[in-house]
Amino acid sequence: MSYLAIKKEVKRGDIRPIYFMYGTQTYLMEDLVLDIIKQTVGSQDDPNLISFSLQDTLLDIALEEAETFPFFGGKKVVVVKDFSLVTTQKQEAKLDHDVTRLQQYIEHPSPESILIFLTPYEKLDERKKITKELKKKAAVVECCPFDEKMLSQWLDAQAKMKGFSFSEDGKERLVERLGAQLLLLVSEMEKLALYVGNDGVVNGEIVDLLVARSLEQDVFALIDFAVKNQLDKALIIYHDLLKQKEEPLKLLSLIARQLRIYYQVKEMSRRSYSQRDMASQLKLHPYVVKLASQQVNRFEDKHLLRLLEGAADTDYAIKSGKMEKTLAVELLLMKLATLNTK
């Protein structure tokens, strides 16, 4: 099930005996675990909340804890972190985990315990029996990057919890500025909530006023200004980033990455890939692909290739000592503006 669906279940008090959470979005796992704790033992200080890591603890010990009665009755929550037994990930510690005992527990979970497995890895080993058993018997939560629709729903839910709402342009502007970085989005929404007050509405102007652009968004804007022949604005952003102690080589790397994304998206669009398929193939967030799709028609293929070559040449010139790094990146931006586009 999706994170949002499980979260609704937990909020209404429908708690499952076993949760199996996997994926790269650890914030979502931590958020769900906190919700489960609130609904069951009440706080993170409760003695009936116990956490283990399979990096340094045998699985047997966690299962024994789950099978032990809670203190003073009620429920017990047992969290098993770094649960790599369902992946191809090699364990650093040489511990002999008893997977057979886990299979037996899955068949007959303790009614007094909630057992939570956290697997912060992108892929599961679907061939393993324990993977199949967990996916069949546990509440499975895929904690992967949101698509555009889920991100929108999540933002609305977070805003509601904080007592405000978004206008459509406000929500879009926030994602443009920060991307899908959930921790950063939550942090900035705290600030927005304080500014607009209870029942307030956050629009695009308020986001522009309060939320600073991320480094990636600055690079996106820098390229956008350059290809529109607004070199003065592009250079202002560049020199502002230098004042913030950003390294020219790092900025060059981000510029080259963005140009590669443009080229890949343009080529895949020509082959009739959907934006969802592009995001999956390129391992990018769907919103990054959406923004790139809106920009690629500014470029001809030959211009993109020449710009990518120019970025590679700039990198070589800096690293070989032929050119000073700050000036070299500035000259690349000038080339970006002169090799314009449609």
Side-chain angles (χ1 to χ4, degrees):
M1 294 179 70
S2 72
Y3 155 84
L4 292 174
I6 290 288
K7 190 174 179 69
K8 286 179 182 177
E9 275 191 8
V10 173
K11 287 287 189 185
R12 63 173 181 259
D14 185 4
I15 307 296
R16 313 278 193 98
I18 304 175
Y19 289 90
F20 172 39
M21 307 181 193
Y22 72 93
T24 55
Q25 292 291 322
T26 54
Y27 169 80
L28 299 181
M29 295 182 191
E30 292 165 3
D31 185 54
L32 274 178
V33 170
L34 284 175
D35 284 347
I36 293 168
I37 289 169
K38 288 175 186 175
Q39 289 288 344
T40 51
V41 298
S43 80
Q44 296 183 69
D45 299 323
D46 194 284
N48 284 319
L49 170 64
I50 304 100
S51 293
F52 300 98
S53 168
L54 286 198
Q55 297 289 344
D56 52 30
T57 306
L58 283 170
L59 180 60
D60 272 6
I61 294 173
L63 294 175
E64 283 174 11
E65 192 64 60
E67 291 167 344
T68 304
F69 283 103
F71 287 108
F72 313 116
K75 291 285 187 181
K76 175 185 283 190
V77 176
V78 178
V79 181
V80 180
K81 301 176 181 178
D82 304 308
F83 185 64
S84 58
L85 303 182
V86 289
T87 72
T88 56
Q89 189 82 11
K90 290 185 179 179
Q91 284 216 311
E92 294 178 11
K94 301 296 183 183
L95 298 177
D96 187 16
H97 297 293
D98 188 352
V99 178
T100 302
R101 187 174 176 193
L102 174 56
Q103 290 168 347
Q104 293 168 351
Y105 184 91
I106 292 170
E107 290 295 330
H108 304 286
S110 170
E112 288 84 19
S113 295
I114 295 94
L115 184 57
I116 304 172
F117 294 102
L118 305 182
T119 304
Y121 307 105
E122 184 177 2
K123 291 184 179 180
L124 303 177
D125 188 342
E126 302 286 353
R127 300 166 299 177
K128 291 187 175 181
K129 185 176 180 181
I130 191 60
T131 308
K132 296 174 183 176
E133 289 297 309
L134 279 168
K135 293 189 84 170
K136 188 187 301 181
K137 302 289 177 64
V140 181
V141 190
E142 187 178 7
C143 297
C144 296
F146 290 148
D147 60 22
E148 190 177 352
K149 181 180 178 182
M150 285 187 68
L151 182 60
S152 177
Q153 292 173 348
W154 180 80
L155 285 169
D156 286 335
Q158 290 291 319
K160 186 177 179 181
M161 285 170 52
K162 291 172 172 49
F164 72 95
S165 61
F166 281 107
S167 67
E168 277 306 311
D169 74 310
K171 189 162 43 176
E172 188 169 316
R173 195 71 56 82
L174 184 65
V175 177
E176 282 179 5
R177 294 234 155 178
L178 302 178
Q181 302 175 74
L182 301 185
L183 276 172
L184 197 52
L185 287 166
V186 168
S187 174
E188 292 299 326
M189 280 192 281
E190 296 285 355
K191 189 195 305 181
L192 294 169
L194 287 172
Y195 184 82
V196 300
N198 203 36
D199 295 326
V201 178
V202 171
N203 58 28
E205 290 182 8
I206 293 172
V207 172
D208 286 344
L209 177 66
L210 296 180
V211 180
R213 286 194 300 251
S214 66
L215 176 58
E216 288 76 10
Q217 184 61 28
D218 272 329
V219 170
F220 183 88
L222 184 153
I223 294 172
D224 188 44
F225 282 130
V227 300
K228 289 177 180 175
N229 279 326
Q230 296 176 329
L231 184 59
D232 54 338
K233 293 182 179 179
L235 291 175
I236 286 171
I237 294 175
Y238 175 56
H239 286 285
D240 282 345
L241 290 171
L242 294 178
K243 289 175 186 174
Q244 294 167 30
K245 307 299 182 184
E246 293 294 348
E247 179 61 36
L249 271 171
K250 180 180 179 181
L251 297 177
L252 174 60
S253 174
L254 289 171
I255 291 168
R257 175 181 179 271
Q258 190 64 48
L259 292 171
R260 278 195 301 274
I261 290 171
Y262 286 161
Y263 185 80
Q264 290 165 330
V265 167
K266 189 174 179 67
E267 180 62 27
M268 294 176 86
S269 296
R270 188 182 295 118
R271 299 184 186 187
S272 301
Y273 279 74
S274 68
Q275 289 187 13
R276 181 187 294 272
D277 289 339
M278 291 182 206
S280 176
Q281 291 281 335
L282 300 175
K283 299 189 182 303
L284 297 171
H285 191 276
Y287 203 81
V288 174
V289 173
K290 179 183 176 182
L291 290 177
S293 298
Q294 294 169 354
Q295 294 291 325
V296 292
N297 287 333
R298 296 180 181 276
F299 298 91
E300 293 180 3
D301 288 356
K302 62 181 181 180
H303 289 156
L304 274 173
L305 287 172
R306 286 170 67 185
L307 289 170
L308 283 166
E309 288 174 3
D313 291 343
T314 301
D315 183 72
Y316 176 78
I318 293 171
K319 290 177 179 176
S320 62
K322 293 180 179 179
M323 195 175 292
E324 194 277 325
K325 57 188 177 181
T326 301
L327 176 60
V329 176
E330 193 166 308
L331 290 173
L332 178 65
L333 292 174
M334 293 177 183
K335 185 175 184 180
L336 186 62
T338 54
L339 266 183
N340 205 1
T341 66
K342 301 176 179 177

